[in-house]
Amino acid sequence: MDWSAIWLSVRLAAATTLVLLATGIPLAYWIVYSPRRWKFLVEAVVALPLVLPPTVLGFYVLIAIGPLSPVGRAYARVAGHGLPFTFEGLLIASVLYSMPFAVQPFTAEFASVDRRLLEASWSLGVSRLATFRRVVIPLSVRGLVTGIVLSFAHTLGEFGVVLMVGGNLPGVTRTVSISIYDSVQSLDYAAASRTSLLLLIVSFVILASTYSLQRSVWLKPRH
Amino acid sequence: MAEAASLKAGPDGCALHLAVTQRFAAGFAIDASFDIDLRPGSILVFFGPSGAGKTTILRLVAGLERPDAGTIQFGDEVWCDTTRGLWQPPQSRHIGLVFQDPTLFPHLTVRRNITYGIGVRPRSDPAPSERVRPRSDPVLSVAEIERMLGIGDLGNRYPRALSGGEAQRVALARALAPDPRLLLLDEPFAALDAPARVRLRRDVRTLLQTTGTPAILVTHDRTEALAMGDTMAVVIGGRVRQVGAVDAVFGRPADAGIAAALGIDAVLPARVVASSGGVIEISVNDVRLHVAEREPVSPGDLVHACIRAEDVTIETRASGQASTRNHLDARIVSIASEGPIDRVTLDCGFAIDALITRRSREELQLAPGARVTAAIKATSVHLVPRL
């Protein structure tokens, strides 16, 4: 089995999930509570990866971080190498690609918190940010867990975007799905089957444990 | 300037000044203004029909709604002044807020719900608030508030394990624990069953008088307004139509629309004189009335006596024996025709209306100035004890 590919996929999925947790929560907060009329545009952009072919997304990311764009040139000047075909470039693409899988559950859960709880908190002198931390986050544990798990599982299995942005460099950008593709290309069906089965089992276990957790009462006490 | 004069509160009281307009998409609009002095521990009732805008005005006071234009001032603090661009968010108004439903934080225990707002000082806390009332030394500790509300044993429970009445008591304790300068109550008793409602009204009254916290109570329930209110603002169609002491507003509605919103009864401030054998004797302006006992009262209690105009009959000479308990000497003040019905306003030591048919009026030859007897059955007088 291609353990370096598995390890790379796990690292990429973990890093992507962390970045999405850090960026997705403020973004979802903004989508739920902002009075801006044009926020539907932001929601549409966040949801794009759900319908766009991964190759299209990957193509644009490749252009955006490559030497043709100011961003890519600036990064290359600072880091000494370009972003395409590196782990960092892969991470940027993964974050964008998995964005809706984190932001949408976050948004749905934040929006479901009774607004009067927030008003009660504000009237007790607690700031909007502290209210979000003390009331909204604890009542949104299900949505946060769902978003985290879906981001992780989704990144673990991504293929098209990786191929476009990362290529196929062993230990750097060759993830599990690329490795399976390679095995099949070289007619090594046994290796492909082992890795595929592993990915299938891991994905199933993650999702099954998430759904079972969501059923339990302690996550969100209901009246 | 009349406005400035009315803002001068007594040494203990706090003036609330509000003059705001706010339009909503559905066409509903608030255009409300009033000045009132909120004495410590007193209750201002926002009274009016459902959908009149009472709750919206309360939310404007709380800072949960922002008016399109206008000013809100409490004591010497400006909470909102759109012309000067001043705005205090709800966090810095130091208010307590209780909704119709308890809306407790479901993930926190009762104890942590109650202490949620304690020790929270917004970073931008304005110094002027300290002038209005020192908050460093609350009158009641949390334990005392819990005890007075009878929820001392519930501390470790979660809100989902509480009855409706218990949960609303916890919500009250949560609002009062940080020692707010003004308590805002949005129909807080409406969702409770009758016995729980009556008990909680009494406890709230006691608590407010102990802490000296003034309160605004939104209600569309006359009994509640009469039992709990010291002053009232009648809200109809998004406007504050009349402001004053509860007795004064019920006694002298400013116009027919307000009278209709208040209901058709005469509401008379009265005192219980005696109670025996199921009959209560009350004194209204030194006129004695007999009332059938429906709920227990004691001599000395202050009550409102409510009498419907159609329950008042007019006799031209004292009849011999009748079951009617109250026969009062009266003078006809005026007679107004309402279609086939005439509204006869009587002065029998207090003002009261009688509704009679035009035919009766003609047969009895009633005219303003005539001396008559007003008869009121003891069972037609409804007492609302004042809390």
Side-chain angles (χ1 to χ4, degrees):
Chain A
M1 206 162 335
D2 189 350
W3 288 107
S4 88
I6 291 168
W7 174 233
L8 177 68
S9 278
V10 169
R11 273 194 300 144
L12 182 65
T16 302
T17 305
L18 280 178
V19 173
L20 278 176
L21 204 55
T23 57
I25 289 178
L27 185 56
Y29 177 89
W30 184 86
I31 288 172
V32 172
Y33 297 111
S34 169
R36 306 266 176 265
R37 281 164 195 270
W38 47 268
K39 64 184 182 184
F40 70 94
L41 292 173
V42 176
E43 288 184 85
V45 169
V46 168
L48 268 182
L50 292 176
V51 291
L52 223 50
T55 44
V56 173
L57 182 77
F59 173 73
Y60 281 118
V61 171
L62 189 60
I63 299 296
I65 65 176
L68 292 176
S69 87
V71 179
R73 281 199 300 275
Y75 181 89
R77 240 194 328 276
V78 173
H81 61 86
L83 274 170
F85 314 112
T86 64
F87 183 79
E88 291 77 16
L90 213 50
L91 181 59
I92 292 172
S94 291
V95 165
L96 292 174
Y97 186 49
S98 291
M99 186 81 79
F101 292 85
V103 172
Q104 288 191 345
F106 294 175
T107 308
E109 200 73 9
F110 293 167
S112 77
V113 174
D114 186 348
R115 195 181 160 81
R116 289 174 311 166
L117 291 177
L118 311 187
E119 294 180 341
S121 173
W122 300 339
S123 76
L124 288 163
V126 179
S127 71
R128 282 173 181 255
L129 195 61
T131 298
F132 182 69
R133 185 173 52 77
R134 292 176 67 183
V135 177
V136 179
I137 291 288
L139 292 177
S140 302
V141 172
R142 284 163 190 263
L144 292 174
V145 169
T146 304
I148 289 168
V149 167
L150 288 180
S151 311
F152 188 88
H154 187 241
T155 309
L156 212 53
E158 76 180 54
F159 178 76
V161 172
V162 177
L163 205 58
M164 292 296 286
V165 178
N168 187 3
L169 306 175
V172 181
T173 61
R174 182 193 284 172
T175 59
V176 175
S177 52
I178 305 275
S179 156
I180 293 166
Y181 180 74
D182 272 357
S183 304
V184 174
Q185 289 290 300
S186 54
L187 301 177
D188 186 355
Y189 280 29
S193 145
R194 280 196 303 272
T195 320
S196 295
L197 189 63
L198 181 76
L199 204 55
L200 177 70
I201 290 171
V202 167
S203 300
F204 177 76
V205 167
I206 289 174
L207 292 176
S209 43
T210 311
Y211 285 120
S212 85
L213 273 179
Q214 288 188 351
R215 293 271 165 105
S216 62
V217 230
W218 61 269
L219 275 170
K220 186 169 190 174
R222 305 269 183 200
H223 298 284
Chain B
M1 216 167 90
E3 193 177 89
S6 64
L7 278 177
K8 280 199 187 111
D12 299 324
C14 232
L16 177 65
H17 159 80
L18 181 138
V20 291
T21 56
Q22 189 181 14
R23 303 207 152 270
F24 292 89
F28 181 70
I30 295 284
D31 182 1
S33 67
F34 65 86
D35 285 277
I36 198 154
D37 189 22
L38 300 173
R39 281 175 291 107
S42 74
I43 297 179
L44 164 65
V45 169
F46 283 173
F47 182 83
S50 297
K54 307 181 292 290
T55 295
T56 308
I57 298 174
L58 192 81
R59 290 173 60 83
L60 283 159
V61 174
L64 297 173
E65 298 280 346
R66 248 179 131 129
D68 297 334
T71 55
I72 302 171
Q73 195 170 342
F74 181 67
D76 56 0
E77 272 182 47
V78 179
W79 281 353
C80 172
D81 185 342
T82 49
T83 54
R84 287 193 285 159
L86 296 177
W87 171 256
Q88 294 283 349
Q91 284 91 341
S92 43
R93 297 189 184 194
H94 297 306
I95 47 159
L97 183 61
V98 180
F99 298 98
Q100 184 168 339
D101 303 313
T103 55
L104 298 175
F105 303 119
H107 59 298
L108 300 178
T109 61
V110 165
R111 174 66 37 73
R112 298 200 44 209
N113 262 282
I114 293 172
T115 56
Y116 182 88
I118 292 179
V120 179
R121 299 302 297 269
R123 266 167 294 174
S124 61
D125 189 22
S129 63
E130 297 301 311
R131 290 208 300 276
V132 178
R133 185 155 159 234
R135 299 171 44 75
S136 51
D137 186 22
V139 181
L140 291 180
S141 68
V142 171
E144 283 166 328
I145 293 172
E146 288 178 350
R147 190 177 45 76
M148 287 180 75
L149 284 167
I151 51 172
D153 301 333
L154 304 178
N156 295 323
R157 290 216 213 150
Y158 279 90
R160 62 177 180 277
L162 302 178
S163 72
E166 287 170 336
Q168 196 60 302
R169 282 166 183 270
V170 174
L172 263 159
R174 180 179 67 180
L176 282 169
D179 200 24
R181 289 174 302 149
L182 177 62
L183 184 65
L184 304 176
L185 305 165
D186 188 2
E187 308 217 23
F189 314 112
L192 305 179
D193 58 52
R197 185 159 57 220
V198 170
R199 280 197 305 274
L200 189 52
R201 276 183 195 154
R202 200 174 290 277
D203 290 346
V204 167
R205 192 61 164 151
T206 312
L207 257 174
L208 292 178
Q209 277 165 352
T210 311
T211 59
T213 314
I216 300 179
L217 170 70
V218 165
T219 186
H220 62 263
D221 179 341
R222 288 162 47 88
T223 309
E224 192 161 291
L226 287 168
M228 300 205 67
D230 297 297
T231 52
M232 68 187 292
V234 182
V235 183
I236 303 170
R239 290 167 174 271
V240 175
R241 297 277 293 271
Q242 190 173 358
V243 180
V246 168
D247 291 343
V249 173
F250 270 101
R252 291 182 298 281
D255 60 50
I258 296 169
L262 294 172
I264 52 165
D265 299 16
V267 176
L268 309 164
R271 193 170 49 80
V272 176
V273 178
S275 170
S276 69
V279 177
I280 297 164
E281 190 178 351
I282 62 168
S283 165
V284 184
N285 280 0
D286 290 330
V287 177
R288 299 297 168 97
L289 283 178
H290 288 113
V291 182
E293 177 163 4
R294 287 198 176 77
E295 48 184 315
V297 290
S298 321
D301 284 359
L302 294 178
V303 295
H304 286 289
C306 305
I307 305 168
R308 297 165 70 91
E310 51 263 65
D311 289 335
V312 179
T313 52
I314 296 176
E315 301 162 355
T316 44
R317 53 189 168 278
S319 54
Q321 283 293 78
S323 64
T324 311
R325 297 284 315 177
N326 300 298
H327 296 271
L328 307 170
D329 291 332
R331 190 176 57 80
I332 296 178
V333 177
S334 62
I335 299 175
S337 177
E338 297 179 359
I341 303 289
D342 283 347
R343 176 176 290 270
V344 181
T345 302
L346 302 166
D347 176 6
C348 44
F350 51 86
I352 194 164
D353 285 0
L355 288 181
I356 59 172
T357 60
R358 186 185 302 159
R359 181 173 294 179
S360 296
R361 197 246 298 163
E362 287 164 0
E363 283 173 7
L364 294 172
Q365 296 178 329
L366 301 179
R371 293 263 158 205
V372 294
T373 300
I376 306 163
K377 289 170 69 177
T379 49
S380 297
V381 183
H382 296 261
L383 297 185
V384 178
R386 303 199 58 179
L387 297 177

